[in-house]
Amino acid sequence: MGKPSHLVEFEHMVLGRHQLSSTTRRHQEGRLERSAYIMLSRIEVQGPMSIGQLSDAFQLDASTVNRQTAHAMRAGLLERIPDPEGGMARKFRLTEEGERRLREERDTHVKDLDRVFEDWSAEDVETFARYLQRFNTSVERITGQPWPRA
């Protein structure tokens, strides 16, 4: 295959196609869409964010972020608040329902991963997590788009 990065590229592509939750489960009522899950996770870690901040964080145009936040607000997952730091732009924060749904979705993801890691040692899982974090932080360094970590 050539350089080791060829193998990483291939496995990265394969990883991108895997979805642990079945297609049927993904469309069940109460499941969050992937984009909503990621947006809510970001707001949970970073705190209230404006359209501009979300647009910058996800490298999306403001109209896309507007549609996503409007959908999340209609679903009762987000609410608009005045900027806690006194700025002009209103910000979005998770509602109690948004926090509950995010927690449920994350629990489902963790249970699915637990099934994947059934025959892995705890040490192997921790090592994999460290390498995955190292990979992600290297990408973030190159792109200039760090993801806040708790």
Side-chain angles (χ1 to χ4, degrees):
M1 272 214 164
K3 299 189 317 186
S5 53
H6 285 105
L7 178 58
V8 172
E9 184 281 330
F10 177 80
E11 294 301 335
H12 184 260
M13 180 271 303
V14 172
L15 177 65
R17 79 165 285 287
H18 287 305
Q19 293 182 3
L20 293 176
S21 300
S22 71
T23 303
T24 304
R25 281 182 51 204
R26 291 192 71 71
H27 297 304
Q28 284 179 345
E29 186 156 334
R31 295 300 307 268
L32 294 176
E33 291 181 7
R34 183 176 180 272
S35 61
Y37 178 70
I38 294 169
M39 181 175 55
L40 294 179
S41 294
R42 179 67 182 246
I43 294 170
E44 177 189 46
V45 172
Q46 190 165 335
M49 297 177 73
S50 67
I51 290 286
Q53 289 171 316
L54 289 165
S55 180
D56 289 344
F58 295 114
Q59 294 296 286
L60 296 170
D61 61 89
S63 64
T64 299
V65 175
N66 268 315
R67 282 191 300 277
Q68 291 177 344
T69 54
H71 184 266
M73 286 179 59
R74 282 192 304 275
L77 306 174
L78 290 178
E79 62 186 348
R80 276 200 153 153
I81 61 167
D83 184 347
E85 297 158 7
M88 294 295 291
R90 294 179 56 84
K91 294 195 173 186
F92 295 94
R93 75 170 169 207
L94 277 67
T95 62
E96 286 184 25
E97 176 69 2
E99 290 175 4
R100 182 188 68 76
R101 298 264 308 274
L102 179 60
R103 188 174 44 254
E104 286 176 359
E105 190 75 14
R106 184 170 292 127
D107 289 347
T108 298
H109 286 257
V110 169
K111 286 176 189 170
D112 288 343
L113 285 168
D114 285 344
R115 288 181 28 227
V116 171
F117 294 131
E118 261 177 2
D119 58 348
W120 291 40
S121 70
E123 182 181 311
D124 284 348
V125 175
E126 290 169 7
T127 299
F128 179 71
R130 281 194 307 273
Y131 280 130
L132 193 56
Q133 182 179 9
R134 183 177 173 190
F135 176 83
N136 283 331
T137 55
S138 292
V139 170
E140 293 163 11
R141 176 180 44 78
I142 291 167
T143 63
Q145 295 294 313
W147 189 273
R149 288 172 170 78

